[in-house]
Amino acid sequence: MLTMAMRSGGLRGTAVRWLLSQRLRGGGGGHHRFASTLLTAQQKPYTHIQRGNFNQVEGEDLAVFERILTSSGVITDHADVDRYNQDWMGKFRGQSTVVLRPKSTEEVAAVLRHCHQRRLAVSTQGGNTGLVGGSVPLFDEIILSTELMNDIISLDDVSRILTCQAGCVLEQLNTYLEPHDLMMPLDLGAKGSCHIGGNVATNAGGLRFLRYGSLHGTVLGLEAVLADGTVLNTLSGLRKDNTGYDLKQLFIGSEGTLGVVTGVAIEAVQRPAATNVAFLACNSYEQLQHTFQAAKHHLGEILSAFEFLDEGSMDCTTANLGLSSPLQTPAPFYILIETHGSVQEHDFAKLEGFLETVMSDELVVDGTVAQDAGQASALWGIRERITEALQHDGTVYKYDVSLPLPVLYSLVNEMRSRVASVATRCVGYGHVGDGNLHLNITSSEPNEELFGLIEPFVYEFTAKHRGSISAEHGLGVMKPHHIHYSKPAEAIHLMKQIKALMDPHGILNPYKTIV
Amino acid sequence: MSLRRALVGCKRVIDYLVKVRVNPQGTGVVKDVKHSMNNFDEIAVEEAIRLKEAKKLEEVVVVSCGPKQSVDVIRTALAMGADRGIHVTVDDTDKLEPLAVAKIFAKLVDVEKPDLVIMGKQAIDDDSNQTAQMLAALVDWPQATFASKVVVSDDASKLEVTREIDGGLETINVKVPAVISADLRLNEPRYATLPNIMKAKKKKVDTKTPEDLGVDIVSQLEYVSVAEPPKRSGGTKVESVDELLDKLKNEAKVL
């Protein structure tokens, strides 16, 4: 953290905010030691990407932006722009020379109107916590940051609909909702830094997707600005509205390529009066699957999370972050189960019934139940901080796939044998309850031989089992050319047509998602 | 040689991660929130169990004074490895003061005849830090408070206790039987494992009332009012370094 600040030339306004945002994030700091010095465009496999036929930002453009945004909204000092050019993992690095920070939808619209007319490429950025290189430019795209658009507009206590600007940090929204006994319907490790606009643009899944569902369901209204500056306001507070095509669904998961999300109306959910967290150990993946079935059977309506991590993930977290395993004996698989409900006695009785079953059926060999909120938080920490722990190995090859449950872990096993001699680690963890695996292979430095062993095998395996090559992280700059592994040509063709219709000059997040 | 029996005190308090709010009447705090075992008592329970695992102690008996939900805290201790529990039922813990608790423990010392009484140094709700000390005086036993390390002598006749004091660490020897109060760095409590959580359901918990023990728990103190500390004035965001410097110089006056 301090290294970045010193490289920025001492404590300047934006670096201070960045330092604070680092502290708000659940833990991370060490990853910037391994920040890539190479631009993305200089790294394989991105070297073949040509800069699009866009104009370059000139003095007149900057003057226009300064008129629209006032001086604090335009950053051009190289040292200050630097951190926006670099992604969270230190893997992707762009060459932008200007960051724009609008405060309102009107400012975003005016900026895009100008960029559309001048054919200037734009890369929208929220909390910059994305994991597929979608949040930073590839070349000199203007970075459009939502960090100053963090006003909460309203909360309807009865309908529970929260309306806010796109730059609100997820954790900030949770804190706001807490005294109303409500919480956000999604939760993810990046909550201390990610913006709700970014969550919506990537259709973020997260840790409680199993219970509260997708943003496609919980987002009730959106305000977005189209490439030509048109403001599309469908910010409604209605649960049901079948009047024409549901346009907001296009923007959710579009990764900023169809418009810039500026406002969100989302349905907050009841903050549970009773939360229970259990951490279990299984001796085989088969036992893990049976445990999942038992969890759905016994816990059903109160189950809010069913996460898994393998022994490799636990080893990485304990070794790299100095945390300790909550269980005495190591096991090949660990499960974190969480329940959310309204009455603790009832929920605990259900949990006890479930635990008795899995223990007597010998599906689970060891486990613990958090006795207080501190233990619950520590158990979640083991799962949530794996991503951070992996960064400490140096280089992380990160994959996020959806696979049928029975074969989900086979991918990890097969990959592990493939990369055994070259990789530091090959681990699997994730939202197994959603059929979503996070496969990570690490090495101390980028390694072309290792990369060749990983890709395209990982995509071919996924395609063979009719899975998704990106369950929740999105395509970013990393996977646009791999969509065909998971979607038919006709679908890809229609996506390209929609992109061309909505962004005829292709200025919104070029080189990403649909190319 | 080992100690025969330890009484371990544990109190049910509002969970330390809960944001405590004053009730609308200004007479106390909102109680309808998550409760758990007082953190320092958890450390005391852990220490007793470790002594038992090291074969320096035979039996761990946990004691909690409180309403019927206090039995949850006893169950947690049993799940960590304690042998049995005693629940002294007291409906309104707001009016239960350290002296009354000390008197209850003094009576239990008479009945159970432990070699050691260990409890957290203070409860995180009232921060009194009095019960262990008062108990030691009532039963005329030596006390070793703010313990960060406990070593039982080979013949189990005395304890070498390292105490955290303002100037650093002080090590004293106390004869058994003694009262110990646990401080933060004494140990890191374990997670209760599933097999033990299941076993805990079968362990014995006796229920008694203060009357059964012949103890009068009438309160000597009266709460006059409870209020939140004055709110901090809000911070402001600055737009530039110059503005920051200006505010640091002219408003905060720290430059």
Side-chain angles (χ1 to χ4, degrees):
Chain A
M1 293 199 305
L2 280 172
T3 319
M4 277 302 274
M6 291 192 298
R7 275 205 272 135
S8 308
L11 284 181
R12 309 274 308 256
T14 54
V16 173
R17 286 195 63 139
W18 178 80
L19 280 173
L20 290 173
S21 81
Q22 291 288 302
R23 225 163 273 138
L24 281 175
R25 194 178 294 165
H31 49 273
H32 279 275
R33 285 204 298 277
F34 308 107
S36 173
T37 48
L38 288 178
L39 303 172
T40 311
Q42 294 169 328
Q43 301 171 47
K44 296 216 179 120
Y46 308 108
T47 48
H48 69 285
I49 303 179
Q50 303 271 45
R51 184 183 178 285
N53 188 15
F54 303 111
N55 285 322
Q56 287 189 324
V57 173
E58 280 155 24
E60 276 144 30
D61 300 305
L62 291 176
V64 169
F65 295 141
E66 287 198 4
R67 266 202 308 278
I68 301 170
L69 302 174
T70 75
S71 61
S72 64
V74 182
I75 303 176
T76 49
D77 187 299
H78 174 76
D80 293 331
V81 171
D82 199 34
R83 62 119 167 158
Y84 295 85
N85 265 318
Q86 178 87 66
D87 83 311
W88 182 84
M89 296 182 293
K91 210 171 182 180
F92 300 99
R93 187 187 205 106
Q95 311 162 48
S96 181
T97 56
V98 55
V99 177
L100 301 180
R101 305 192 304 161
K103 289 209 193 69
S104 68
T105 307
E106 291 67 40
E107 287 181 4
V108 174
V111 163
L112 287 184
R113 218 164 16 243
H114 180 80
C115 292
H116 175 82
Q117 185 227 19
R118 274 275 296 141
R119 276 183 156 80
L120 296 169
V122 173
S123 176
T124 313
Q125 185 178 101
N128 199 4
T129 56
L131 300 172
V132 286
S135 55
V136 295
L138 194 61
F139 296 101
D140 59 338
E141 301 93 284
I142 295 168
I143 296 171
L144 184 66
S145 167
T146 51
E147 64 186 17
L148 295 184
M149 294 178 62
N150 57 1
D151 280 342
I152 294 171
I153 299 169
S154 68
L155 170 68
D156 182 324
D157 260 311
V158 177
S159 68
R160 285 139 175 234
I161 295 172
L162 174 72
T163 308
C164 62
Q165 288 188 304
C168 290
V169 172
L170 185 60
E171 188 72 319
Q172 167 200 356
L173 296 174
N174 268 319
T175 306
Y176 173 81
L177 291 170
E178 207 219 327
H180 298 267
D181 223 20
L182 300 172
M183 64 180 191
M184 293 296 280
L186 78 164
D187 186 28
L188 48 159
K191 67 194 110 182
S193 309
C194 61
H195 294 188
I196 189 65
N199 290 147
V200 166
T202 53
N203 189 26
L207 302 162
R208 50 176 80 123
F209 183 94
L210 186 76
R211 169 67 170 272
Y212 300 103
S214 159
L215 285 170
H216 281 293
T218 53
V219 169
L220 300 180
L222 268 193
E223 181 193 60
V225 180
L226 302 180
D228 65 2
T230 307
V231 177
L232 197 69
N233 186 343
T234 55
L235 263 184
S236 100
L238 302 174
R239 270 233 116 264
K240 301 170 82 165
D241 179 9
N242 281 351
T243 51
Y245 303 143
D246 193 3
L247 295 176
K248 66 178 184 292
Q249 301 299 351
L250 271 178
F251 296 102
I252 300 173
S254 65
E255 302 180 51
T257 57
L258 296 180
V260 175
V261 173
T262 50
V264 178
I266 187 165
E267 189 173 10
V269 298
Q270 179 66 40
R271 185 171 285 268
T275 304
N276 287 294
V277 178
F279 197 86
L280 311 173
C282 292
N283 267 342
S284 73
Y285 183 64
E286 214 188 323
Q287 280 180 345
L288 187 153
Q289 293 177 75
H290 289 309
T291 306
F292 179 51
Q293 287 174 297
K296 285 201 295 189
H297 178 84
H298 290 273
L299 301 173
E301 68 281 6
I302 61 168
L303 188 62
S304 60
F306 192 96
E307 299 284 312
F308 97 104
L309 51 137
D310 63 7
E311 196 171 2
S313 307
M314 176 67 88
D315 288 344
C316 181
T317 311
T318 50
N320 288 356
L321 298 180
L323 301 179
S324 39
S325 170
L327 304 174
Q328 300 285 48
T329 43
F333 295 97
Y334 300 96
I335 299 171
L336 187 149
I337 291 180
E338 184 190 65
T339 65
H340 278 175
S342 48
V343 181
Q344 173 61 4
E345 274 131 33
H346 300 172
D347 287 1
F348 198 72
K350 290 176 189 168
L351 185 64
E352 280 198 309
F354 162 71
L355 293 171
E356 269 164 15
T357 304
V358 293
M359 285 208 60
S360 57
D361 289 352
E362 289 181 353
L363 297 177
V364 157
V365 296
D366 197 3
T368 180
V369 178
Q371 301 295 321
D372 58 44
Q375 283 191 349
S377 184
L379 292 175
W380 265 117
I382 305 269
R383 163 63 186 90
E384 284 187 287
R385 296 183 68 186
I386 300 172
T387 313
E388 178 199 340
L390 289 164
Q391 292 291 132
H392 287 257
D393 277 0
T395 300
V396 185
Y397 295 94
K398 191 176 286 292
Y399 297 89
D400 159 55
V401 298
S402 277
L403 283 168
L405 216 53
V407 305
L408 188 141
Y409 200 72
S410 309
L411 174 56
V412 185
N413 282 329
E414 284 190 40
M415 184 63 80
R416 195 178 290 123
S417 347
R418 285 176 69 89
V419 303
S421 53
V422 207
T424 307
R425 244 180 268 272
C426 174
V427 307
Y429 61 95
H431 320 292
V432 67
D434 304 324
N436 182 185
L437 168 73
H438 290 315
L439 169 70
N440 285 255
I441 302 105
T442 64
S443 59
S444 49
E445 269 158 24
N447 183 328
E448 249 187 82
E449 186 200 346
L450 176 56
F451 185 65
L453 291 168
I454 300 171
E455 290 192 26
F457 171 74
V458 61
Y459 299 130
E460 287 166 353
F461 182 103
T462 305
K464 185 168 83 181
H465 295 282
R466 295 222 254 270
S468 166
I469 53 142
S470 183
E472 58 179 4
H473 291 171
L475 300 169
V477 77
M478 192 183 156
K479 304 179 202 177
H481 299 285
H482 303 295
I483 305 181
H484 65 92
Y485 285 104
S486 293
K487 286 275 183 340
E490 300 78 10
I492 302 172
H493 180 65
L494 183 55
M495 291 185 212
K496 290 185 182 176
Q497 287 180 307
I498 294 171
K499 167 70 175 174
L501 173 71
M502 293 184 67
D503 183 11
H505 297 325
I507 62 165
L508 297 177
N509 277 3
Y511 324 113
K512 300 170 192 162
T513 316
I514 303 296
V515 300
Chain B
M1 287 285 304
S2 68
L3 304 169
R4 253 187 352 250
R5 175 178 299 147
L7 280 189
V8 187
C10 49
K11 184 179 180 184
R12 176 180 179 267
V13 296
I14 293 178
D15 190 291
Y16 79 99
L17 285 178
V18 167
K19 273 203 194 76
V20 176
R21 286 185 228 279
V22 177
N23 64 23
Q25 303 86 353
T27 53
V29 298
V30 173
K31 289 275 182 53
D32 190 17
V33 292
K34 189 171 171 70
H35 281 66
S36 47
M37 194 194 299
N38 180 39
N39 306 63
F40 296 109
D41 295 335
E42 220 186 339
I43 293 170
V45 171
E46 173 68 23
E47 193 63 18
I49 293 166
R50 287 189 189 189
L51 287 176
K52 185 175 150 185
E53 285 170 346
K55 301 214 188 329
K56 302 305 287 182
L57 173 64
E58 281 167 35
E59 190 188 27
V60 178
V61 182
V62 294
V63 180
S64 189
C65 307
K68 74 166 168 38
Q69 300 97 320
S70 286
V71 85
D72 294 340
V73 155
I74 295 177
R75 291 271 164 231
T76 299
L78 295 173
M80 286 169 70
D83 297 295
R84 60 182 167 90
I86 300 174
H87 176 202
V88 180
T89 52
V90 174
D91 283 326
D92 188 359
T93 42
D94 276 350
K95 296 201 169 38
L96 183 64
E97 290 154 17
L99 182 56
V101 176
K103 287 180 185 170
I104 290 173
F105 271 78
K107 264 290 146 56
L108 289 172
V109 160
D110 258 348
V111 170
E112 299 284 342
K113 303 193 183 346
D115 292 321
L116 171 65
V117 178
I118 180 169
M119 59 183 70
K121 66 174 179 181
Q122 64 200 58
I124 61 171
D125 50 11
D126 57 25
D127 282 334
S128 295
N129 198 326
Q130 296 169 7
T131 309
Q133 292 89 330
M134 288 175 168
L135 171 63
L138 287 173
V139 294
D140 199 23
W141 284 9
Q143 56 184 270
T145 53
F146 310 104
S148 65
K149 188 164 173 204
V150 175
V151 180
V152 180
S153 66
D154 286 335
D155 62 355
S157 68
K158 53 185 199 292
L159 309 168
E160 186 189 84
V161 180
T162 306
R163 308 178 57 231
E164 294 195 13
I165 60 173
D166 284 351
L169 298 173
E170 176 193 63
T171 305
I172 59 172
N173 277 317
V174 290
K175 291 209 193 88
V176 163
V179 178
I180 295 182
S181 79
D183 209 329
L184 190 65
R185 275 158 283 268
L186 178 56
N187 59 50
E188 205 183 303
R190 66 193 60 197
Y191 286 92
T193 60
L194 277 190
N196 286 335
I197 294 173
M198 296 301 153
K199 276 191 221 149
K201 303 209 304 183
K202 302 195 181 71
K203 292 180 182 173
K204 191 151 152 295
V205 178
D206 284 321
T207 311
K208 296 188 205 291
T209 64
E211 293 76 46
D212 292 339
L213 297 168
V215 175
D216 179 10
I217 58 164
V218 72
S219 59
Q220 317 274 346
L221 305 170
E222 181 200 330
Y223 278 84
V224 174
S225 75
V226 179
E228 277 183 24
K231 280 202 173 8
R232 275 186 55 182
S233 57
T236 48
K237 278 188 215 164
V238 293
E239 292 296 316
S240 68
V241 177
D242 293 325
E243 205 188 329
L244 174 67
L245 287 174
D246 173 56
K247 283 194 189 280
L248 288 174
K249 232 188 232 162
N250 301 318
E251 275 183 34
K253 299 207 199 309
V254 292
L255 285 184

